[in-house]
Amino acid sequence: MIRDRVPAWAGRNYLLLTAAAIVTNLGTHGALIAAAFAVIQSGGDGGDVGLVAMARTLPLVLFLLVGGAVADRVPRHRVMVAANALNCLSQAVFAVLVLTGEARLWHMMLLTALCGTGQAFFNPAAEGMLMSSVDGEQVSRAFALFRMAMNGAGIGGAALGGALIAAFGPGWVLAIDAAAFAVAGALRAFLDVRHVPERAAGGGLLADLREGWDEFAGRPWLWSIVAQFAVVVALVGAAESVYGPLVARDELGGARPWGLALAAFGVGTLGGAILMARWKPRRMLLVGTLGVFPIALPSAALAVPLDVVGLSVAMFVSGVAIEVFGVCWMTTLHQEIPEEKLSRVSAYDWFGSTAMLPLSTALAGPAETAFGRSEALWGSATLIVLVTALVLLVPDVRNLTRRTKQVRGSEGGGAAAPQGVDPGADGVGSADAEGAVRGCG
């Protein structure tokens, strides 16, 4: 009965991936808030919050490329389940230490580093698995609905997390996140990878990484947008992981209003996904890049700072905008990148997009001391606008168009020139890196 109501393109893998994403997003959107307030509750300051955020992102950057190569060799669902198991264990220990009052700064840094390590292997495998789970003309709708479900769960997770932290403290939210990873890992264990052809014996890990690099570096639209997001993700990460909780504590009244602001971002992403389920822009990268400009709004709102209503509006608009970019980006990768190289290309995407995140979160506290919190946030908003404007100078970003069929070969390494456009195209992953600052995946 339920199967009759499911679209024909939504196969078993797509449904399992969507269900697992809903579960993990319910947990992780509250857990990031909980981690920041666990540091503050233990007597830490902005510099300590930044160190814990850096400890999560540093192993993410270090292990991403290895994770991408592994995910194109080992069945992707096994990589995802193993990563979920590591995240479950690290969050469970983190929760116990916070609940017992025994958490120290080095404990929190070590456990969040384990969480980031799991994410480094999970992200490329998950992105490759999702893109191989759908095909045909409905890929944009499939990606939009997946992100709609994922972000809808994030709305509840952020709001519930903020409320639970205010009522019971951050430890219980971390425990819920550990349980969510356990459930999601169990769901992902049932993914079917028989449709993915076995990789022929190659030259080893380094050869795989070189092949992925050739695919990545030969496409100007790909590396230029990843370079853009290296800056954008670093700045957003510092604003939301460090400055946001501090502004909430000093100006807004604590964890609850910050949770509501993050929930407003989730509502915005839900609205953006609904829009993109119907709209198929012909120039996908141009439309997506224009959607990056409003991501500067939350940093500006925190710099003023606006009250919780104004901040929530800024977060909402940012959520809509990043979802427009996210669906356009995923559709472009699905169209242009051969399936057997998706995880490695995704790894370079994630690596480039998050490379500066550890440094930015570690320097957020010192930057606040040197320049002031408001000045640092205004600088972040300005840089986001500047690097996004620069990306629009790349011809492929402006001109790459939607096709009726995605590319399945990679001869020559470069991006193919824009060709036949889908006649129905004008109807009414970097994004995920931006979201990675909110949790462990």
Side-chain angles (χ1 to χ4, degrees):
M1 191 71 175
I2 296 177
R3 178 71 250 186
D4 293 340
R5 299 181 181 180
V6 176
W9 48 261
R12 169 181 168 174
N13 281 359
Y14 179 85
L15 295 176
L16 285 171
L17 289 166
T18 302
I22 290 171
V23 172
T24 48
N25 274 268
L26 282 171
T28 55
H29 277 69
L32 184 67
I33 309 172
F37 278 90
V39 177
I40 294 171
Q41 180 179 282
S42 68
D45 57 14
D48 294 329
V49 174
L51 286 174
V52 172
M54 180 198 68
R56 180 180 63 251
T57 55
L58 184 59
L60 171 64
V61 172
L62 291 177
F63 293 112
L64 264 171
L65 297 183
V66 176
V70 169
D72 274 338
R73 281 184 169 268
V74 179
R76 288 170 180 153
H77 72 306
R78 293 182 184 175
V79 179
M80 296 166 70
V81 171
N84 284 167
L86 177 60
N87 291 148
C88 173
L89 179 62
S90 64
Q91 292 296 78
V93 175
F94 197 172
V96 170
L97 290 174
V98 172
L99 288 170
T100 58
E102 298 297 326
R104 302 292 181 265
L105 181 61
W106 73 268
H107 292 150
M108 293 184 277
M109 291 181 67
L110 174 61
L111 292 167
T112 52
L114 290 174
C115 188
T117 301
Q119 188 180 359
F121 284 86
F122 176 87
N123 288 343
E127 194 156 315
M129 195 75 203
L130 175 64
M131 291 187 184
S132 68
S133 71
V134 293
D135 206 349
E137 297 182 0
Q138 297 298 324
V139 292
S140 291
R141 178 167 294 179
F143 295 148
L145 292 176
F146 173 84
R147 295 174 68 92
M148 188 189 309
M150 180 180 68
N151 293 320
I155 298 169
L160 182 62
L164 288 176
I165 293 168
F168 304 108
W172 288 109
V173 176
L174 293 167
I176 291 171
D177 191 36
F181 277 119
V183 174
L187 289 171
R188 288 163 177 149
F190 290 99
L191 290 168
D192 183 359
V193 295
R194 289 175 296 177
H195 67 289
V196 180
E198 291 188 12
R199 287 283 310 282
L205 183 63
L206 290 178
D208 282 352
L209 290 175
R210 283 196 299 270
E211 190 177 3
W213 172 256
D214 289 341
E215 195 74 31
F216 175 84
R219 302 172 186 271
W221 61 267
L222 180 54
W223 58 256
S224 63
I225 288 180
V226 170
Q228 168 202 13
F229 266 78
V231 177
V232 172
V233 172
L235 297 172
V236 171
E240 295 193 6
S241 295
V242 180
Y243 297 136
L246 294 175
V247 171
R249 180 195 65 185
D250 297 340
E251 307 288 345
L252 303 179
R256 189 187 297 271
W258 182 235
L260 290 174
L262 291 178
F265 176 89
V267 174
T269 61
L270 184 60
I274 293 172
L275 169 65
M276 296 308 292
R278 294 180 172 273
W279 183 29
K280 296 181 180 179
R282 184 172 66 91
R283 298 185 186 273
M284 299 175 291
L285 288 182
L286 175 60
V287 170
T289 300
L290 292 174
V292 179
F293 284 105
I295 297 175
L297 290 176
S299 292
L302 288 168
V304 174
L306 298 181
D307 60 17
V308 65
V309 175
L311 176 60
S312 296
V313 170
M315 294 287 277
F316 172 84
V317 174
S318 175
V320 173
I322 196 58
E323 204 61 23
V324 170
F325 171 83
V327 173
C328 289
W329 182 246
M330 292 179 72
T331 304
T332 303
L333 290 178
H334 182 274
Q335 171 179 289
E336 298 293 324
I337 307 299
E339 193 280 334
E340 70 275 9
K341 299 178 183 178
L342 277 172
S343 289
R344 278 168 288 169
V345 171
S346 294
Y348 279 104
D349 176 9
W350 276 93
F351 176 80
S353 298
T354 58
M356 295 174 60
L357 188 54
L359 183 63
S360 71
T361 52
L363 293 179
E368 178 184 13
T369 302
F371 306 109
R373 186 186 300 166
S374 179
E375 288 76 10
L377 285 163
W378 279 121
S380 295
T382 301
L383 281 174
I384 290 171
V385 171
L386 178 61
V387 297
T388 303
L390 290 175
V391 166
L392 290 174
L393 299 177
V394 179
D396 284 349
V397 172
R398 300 193 307 272
N399 300 326
L400 193 147
T401 54
R402 185 182 300 269
R403 307 175 197 277
T404 56
K405 296 181 180 179
Q406 72 266 28
V407 174
R408 279 308 186 211
S410 56
E411 293 81 357
Q419 297 174 4
V421 177
D422 181 353
D426 278 323
V428 171
S430 293
D432 290 319
E434 189 272 337
V437 302
R438 299 184 175 84
C440 290

